[in-house]
Amino acid sequence: MKAPLAFLCLVLSLLLLVPSGPGVRAQGVDLHCGAPFDWQKLANLTRRVARRLPRVSEDAPRDIAAALRDLNWGRLRSWQGRIDRPDIDRLMKASVEELRNFSSTARMTRPDLLVETLDLIDTRSASICVEVTANGAEGDGGFGGKPSPAGFGMSANGETFADYARLSMLPVIIAAFGVILKIGHMLLKWYHTVRYSRRSCQVMAEIHIGPYVIPGTITVLGLRGCRFVCGDDESRALLSVVAGSSEMKLLVGSIRLPSSLSALNDTWAALQFESMLTEQLHVTILERSKVRPRYVTLPALTGGTPSVGSGSGRPARQTNAVAASTAARRERKSEPA
């Protein structure tokens, strides 16, 4: 059991360590695609304001002005110089002029055209990627004497694209981990099935408890126990009454197997052998099966059924005959000697 858990933990650790998403870090360098975060923040704010015109709030010009002040102009110029795209530079300058006019007058001349310009900037810059030093300063150093664009792959709180990618992959990793656990559980059940040679079958047998004989059928046989189905409701009710009152033996023809009742279900009982069967004896019993024995995957022969005497299971149904016999035995015990 420890080996599968260790393997699953190792797989999960490897998944969490694998870099994913648009931000890839290698030897202190991030690859950032698209416009800087502060520009994207300004563009998104502008789109929201433009779509609400002419019913724009009084705070909108102040918000736009604050977003313009938050732009790292040195980093923006460095990025524009690195990508060498005059068309994007021209579109950004036109957008900034329109936004500065709006922040001071609260009026936009062509809001639809401004939104189209911002969308065009996003489209053209999305496929342009630049290397960003992870430990570069805010506005200087890092690229041959030019101001470093460090921070283009980083939000205002310091998260990198790789961090965002890992967070976005977290549900996928959890789902994959769940699938791995499910497969591991299935493999574990199959391992126990093969180890204890659990086979489905139909072997006629009897349970002997003191003077009582309970006929039935073995439906699942393993090396350490079996599932036993009583022949009728009266036999099952009798088993629920006399179980534990005396030594129990399972008889398959002339084969006697000392056993104990470990669980009792509405349709079957789980028996545990005092000694594990040998392979030869296991095969001999299965030869009596009316159907061809096949491997059957079960978590345990008890199958999670409350054990006998736990008090948590549903009481067995008794027939009138069994109830009468039980009452008679109690009366005999109460009679004076």
Side-chain angles (χ1 to χ4, degrees):
M1 185 66 183
K2 294 182 178 179
L5 287 177
F7 172 74
L8 294 177
C9 293
L10 176 61
V11 172
L12 181 61
S13 301
L14 292 176
L15 288 173
L16 292 173
L17 291 175
V18 173
S20 56
V24 180
R25 176 172 293 180
Q27 296 180 352
V29 175
D30 284 337
L31 189 63
H32 171 71
C33 303
F37 273 112
D38 47 4
W39 176 268
Q40 294 177 19
K41 177 181 176 181
L42 174 64
N44 291 333
L45 175 61
T46 302
R47 291 186 182 96
R48 290 196 299 270
V49 171
R51 293 190 179 101
R52 294 173 183 172
L53 290 176
R55 298 179 180 179
V56 65
S57 65
E58 298 179 356
D59 296 334
R62 290 195 295 270
D63 294 340
I64 292 294
L68 286 170
R69 289 193 300 270
D70 290 342
L71 281 178
N72 189 320
W73 295 101
R75 192 165 59 198
L76 181 62
R77 286 190 293 270
S78 174
W79 178 75
Q80 291 171 343
R82 285 192 56 80
I83 66 174
D84 193 21
R85 289 290 299 269
D87 54 334
I88 296 178
D89 186 13
R90 183 171 59 254
L91 293 172
M92 283 186 169
K93 288 180 180 178
S95 302
V96 169
E97 287 299 324
E98 179 68 20
L99 291 175
R100 283 175 174 168
N101 178 68
F102 174 76
S103 63
S104 59
T105 64
R107 297 182 59 184
M108 286 188 185
T109 55
R110 291 285 304 276
D112 53 345
L113 179 60
L114 179 58
V115 171
E116 289 179 4
T117 302
L118 295 174
D119 292 342
L120 187 58
I121 293 173
D122 288 346
T123 302
R124 294 185 180 183
S125 62
S127 59
I128 301 176
C129 303
V130 296
E131 291 183 354
V132 179
T133 55
N135 57 353
E138 184 74 12
D140 57 347
F143 291 103
K146 294 183 178 181
S148 169
F152 271 118
M154 186 176 297
S155 69
N157 296 326
E159 296 90 354
T160 64
F161 265 115
D163 297 325
Y164 284 119
R166 289 190 180 95
L167 288 176
S168 64
M169 288 293 292
L170 187 59
V172 179
I173 293 173
I174 294 175
F177 186 60
V179 172
I180 292 173
L181 286 178
K182 180 64 176 179
I183 295 175
H185 180 62
M186 294 172 60
L187 292 176
L188 185 62
K189 288 200 302 182
W190 182 253
Y191 164 75
H192 285 296
T193 296
V194 175
R195 179 182 179 184
Y196 299 114
S197 193
R198 292 171 183 160
R199 312 285 185 93
S200 61
C201 60
Q202 287 187 12
V203 178
M204 302 302 297
E206 294 178 345
I207 294 178
H208 287 216
I209 303 176
Y212 302 101
V213 177
I214 303 170
T217 305
I218 298 174
T219 57
V220 178
L221 180 65
L223 296 178
R224 302 180 67 176
C226 69
R227 281 187 178 181
F228 182 88
V229 177
C230 297
D232 51 37
D233 289 343
E234 184 175 345
S235 299
R236 186 199 170 281
L238 177 61
L239 177 61
S240 67
V241 172
V242 302
S245 63
S246 182
E247 292 184 357
M248 176 186 295
K249 293 184 177 61
L250 178 67
L251 270 69
V252 183
S254 60
I255 302 173
R256 292 176 175 267
L257 302 173
S259 310
S260 61
L261 183 65
S262 57
L264 184 60
N265 189 277
D266 288 339
T267 55
W268 48 260
L271 274 63
Q272 185 173 0
F273 304 142
E274 290 186 3
S275 301
M276 184 180 295
L277 301 181
T278 63
E279 293 288 347
Q280 182 178 358
L281 183 56
H282 185 262
V283 173
T284 301
I285 296 175
L286 288 177
E287 288 176 350
R288 295 173 174 265
S289 176
K290 295 180 179 180
V291 297
R292 181 181 178 182
R294 298 180 183 275
Y295 280 108
V296 55
T297 56
L298 296 171
L301 288 175
T302 57
T305 306
S307 59
V308 175
S310 64
S312 58
R314 186 165 54 184
R317 185 167 46 130
Q318 298 186 10
T319 61
N320 292 333
V322 174
S325 63
T326 303
R329 287 197 305 274
R330 290 176 180 173
E331 290 178 0
R332 286 196 298 270
K333 289 181 180 179
S334 62
E335 292 177 357

